[in-house]
Structure formats: structure tokens, C-alpha cells
Amino acid sequence: MNNSISSVDVLPVVSDDILILYVAHCYKTLKLKYATIKLYLCGIRFAYLKAGTSCPLIRTDSSSYSRITTLLNAIKRVQGQVNNHRQPITATILDKMCSVVNLGYLTAYMDCLLLAVCVTAFFGFLRCAEFTVTNDKDFDPAYNLCLGDLTFHGDHAELLLKSSKTDPFRQGIVIQLFRNTTNYKLCPYNALQTYVTRRNNKFVERQNSLEPLFLTESGIPLTRSCFILHVKQIISRLGLDTTRYSGHSFRVGAASSACAARLEDHLIKTLGRWSSDCYRTYIRTPQQVIQAAQKALLTELPK
């Protein structure tokens, strides 16, 4: 007797209307990009084909759903018209931000937390969603950073990302953050070690490995909105346009700084966990670099 559950009993029937509502939800509510929505649809297709059922993105006569194609093309056109004004938080800006915080931005605890998060986000090439939660009630130890996901070794710390955009199957990715002996202020190892010590002293009863790693002074998990709010306030003290910076600016800045340091392409891809050359879209090239490059084009001419 076969006790296996039929795939028909597990996977629901997906209609044209359901797929359209799903795509609309991804675009309007989740604010996902065209490429990400396409990737999610491919995941749905893979799940159904793996279960031995027909592809839900194709009609029984093998024709595709034209309304979904039209909707996806419309999303692609709309998003393609949006200019990306997001500016990078480079090593230079990060250094200035840390100076502002060290002078006393909020309380001693919050300053310690923000320093640790900012430096870690930069050197770890982290996306904002990888170290924050949407709101304080959404924390899930199965996906979000926990105290037990951070371990210290002799010369480096290891941060386990259980869930990441570049890890769709949630196999887990370990980020190595090494000691920086040349610049103590921008050392992720020291910043995290100092924060964890202060965190554990403040929240003695919350040292379980499944507790949130980053806690605000009120004891709630660090949310995206809270983090971005403080980043913008610190940025404003530097006289910069706060509307052009976001939580993702750390990842963009790390890629830009890596390029400026002339790191090899494969190292940038490894640091940022990119599987393709899409990291190039993150790099912001200063005008003076472009100017110097144009001048270099004429170096072969006789003087």
C-alpha cells in the first residue's frame, strides 16, 4: 500500500487570476523588483514540476497566460523609468559616521549598537533585511539573526545568515569578519564584541542563543525603520542629503569602496555573495575617476 500523499492534495490549483493577484502583491505590497518577481514565479514553476504536476504558468494547450506577461512587462517598464539616486556609504562616510556616534549621538548603549550594526553591515556587504526585522513582532529565530548566530574566534568573528536573498534554499551563509588592526574604530570584530558584552550585561535574562542579536535599549529587536531613521539622522549631521541614503547604502558603499581599492572582480563577488556580475550595478564611480580615465585615453599621444 502506498502511503505517500498525492501532489494534487499538497499543491493547490493555480489559476490565471491567482497568479495575477500574486504578481500584483509582490509589486505593490512587497515592493519587489521585476527580476525578483520573475525569480519567484520560476520557483513556483519548479515546485509544481518537481511534484509531477503541470506547470501553473502555462495553459493546458501549452500557451502562456498573456495577462501575466503583459503585467510583468508593465512592471518592468515602470521600474525601468525610476532613476536610482541611492548613494553609497563608503569607507570615508562610514568613518565620519562613526566619529559622530563616538562623540555621543544617543545613549551609550544605543551608540554601541549603531556602531556595531553599521560597521558590520559595511564589511559584511549586508542587505538591510539581513540584520533587521520589519517590525518588532515579526522576529523569527528560524530566519532572523540570533545571539547564537555570532561566534568569535582568534582573529575573526563569524555571522551566520540563515536566510538571504542569495541563499534561496536557506542552506545558511557564514560571513567572516576579521580584526582590523590598522583602524580600531572601523573594526567589525571589536565593534561586535563590545556590543555583545554591553548587550548581555544589560539584558542578563536574554542570553539564550535564540534571542535576537540586535536589541534596542527598550529590549525590542532592531527594526528596519528604526535603523534607517538613525542612519539618516547621523547622515544629516555630516551635511549630506538624507533622501539619497538608505539601509542598502552600506552594501552599495562596500562594493564601491572595494572597486576603488582595486580588488579583483572575483573577490568583490565573494565578499558580496554575488553569483553573477550584477554587483557592477552597485558600484558608484566618482566623477573625478571618470575624468582621470578620460585623460588616460590620451596618454599615448606625443607631448
Side-chain angles (χ1 to χ4, degrees):
M1 180 178 178
N2 187 358
N3 294 323
S4 62
I5 300 176
S6 170
S7 60
V8 177
D9 297 329
V10 176
L11 300 177
V13 176
V14 179
S15 66
D16 187 8
D17 291 335
I18 291 177
L19 287 173
I20 287 177
L21 289 173
Y22 175 72
V23 171
H25 173 73
C26 289
Y27 169 70
K28 188 69 175 178
T29 305
L30 302 182
K31 309 295 183 184
L32 298 180
K33 297 295 185 182
Y34 165 81
T36 304
I37 298 174
K38 287 275 290 184
L39 182 64
Y40 282 16
L41 290 175
C42 288
I44 294 174
R45 175 180 180 274
F46 174 78
Y48 276 78
L49 292 179
K50 185 178 180 180
T53 61
S54 59
C55 174
L57 304 180
I58 301 177
R59 298 180 186 274
T60 54
D61 60 358
S62 297
S63 63
S64 59
Y65 290 122
S66 59
R67 289 196 297 163
I68 295 177
T69 302
T70 300
L71 178 58
L72 287 171
N73 288 336
I75 292 174
K76 184 178 181 180
R77 284 195 296 271
V78 170
Q79 292 182 339
Q81 295 172 354
V82 178
N83 294 322
N84 187 3
H85 296 298
R86 181 172 53 204
Q87 292 298 301
I89 293 179
T90 60
T92 300
I93 296 178
L94 178 63
D95 182 67
K96 294 179 180 178
M97 291 176 65
C98 289
S99 295
V100 169
V101 176
N102 281 327
L103 288 175
Y105 166 65
L106 290 175
T107 65
Y109 177 85
M110 285 300 295
D111 290 350
C112 183
L113 167 64
L114 291 172
L115 281 174
V117 176
C118 289
V119 175
T120 300
F122 178 82
F123 284 98
F125 284 67
L126 299 180
R127 300 175 179 85
C128 196
E130 293 174 339
F131 58 89
T132 64
V133 295
T134 304
N135 63 69
D136 58 335
K137 300 186 186 309
D138 280 346
F139 177 79
D140 186 342
Y143 305 106
N144 302 121
L145 277 180
C146 298
L147 187 60
D149 295 327
L150 175 64
T151 55
F152 293 98
H153 303 274
D155 62 344
H156 71 282
E158 290 186 349
L159 193 65
L160 173 62
L161 297 183
K162 298 184 288 290
S163 178
S164 173
K165 182 179 179 181
T166 52
D167 182 26
F169 298 106
R170 297 197 177 105
Q171 296 178 336
I173 299 174
V174 175
I175 308 297
Q176 294 182 324
L177 300 164
F178 285 84
R179 284 181 182 269
N180 187 337
T181 57
T182 60
N183 191 323
Y184 184 87
K185 181 171 60 175
L186 296 183
C187 175
Y189 183 99
N190 291 328
L192 283 170
Q193 196 171 57
T194 302
Y195 162 71
V196 170
T197 300
R198 190 179 292 269
R199 175 205 180 281
N200 290 345
N201 288 337
K202 183 176 182 61
F203 301 103
V204 178
E205 74 287 355
R206 302 188 65 178
Q207 297 186 30
N208 185 286
S209 61
L210 296 181
E211 285 285 344
L213 173 60
F214 295 125
L215 289 173
T216 64
E217 192 151 33
S218 59
I220 64 175
L222 181 65
T223 64
R224 178 187 180 90
S225 59
C226 175
F227 176 68
I228 293 178
L229 171 65
H230 290 304
V231 166
K232 287 181 177 291
Q233 289 181 349
I234 296 171
I235 285 289
S236 68
R237 296 194 182 187
L238 300 178
L240 300 175
D241 184 358
T242 60
T243 63
R244 306 189 70 182
Y245 293 88
S246 69
H248 209 64
S249 291
F250 290 94
R251 183 171 170 84
V252 179
S256 298
S257 293
C259 181
R262 297 186 177 182
L263 295 186
E264 297 180 14
D265 288 357
H266 74 277
L267 282 177
I268 299 178
K269 291 172 67 173
T270 299
L271 289 170
R273 310 180 303 283
W274 285 289
S275 58
S276 67
D277 291 336
C278 67
Y279 74 92
R280 296 180 183 275
T281 62
Y282 285 73
I283 297 173
R284 305 292 187 266
T285 305
Q287 289 184 343
Q288 58 268 32
V289 174
I290 297 176
Q291 180 183 16
Q294 291 176 350
K295 288 182 178 179
L297 296 176
L298 305 177
T299 55
E300 65 182 48
L301 296 179
K303 296 182 180 180

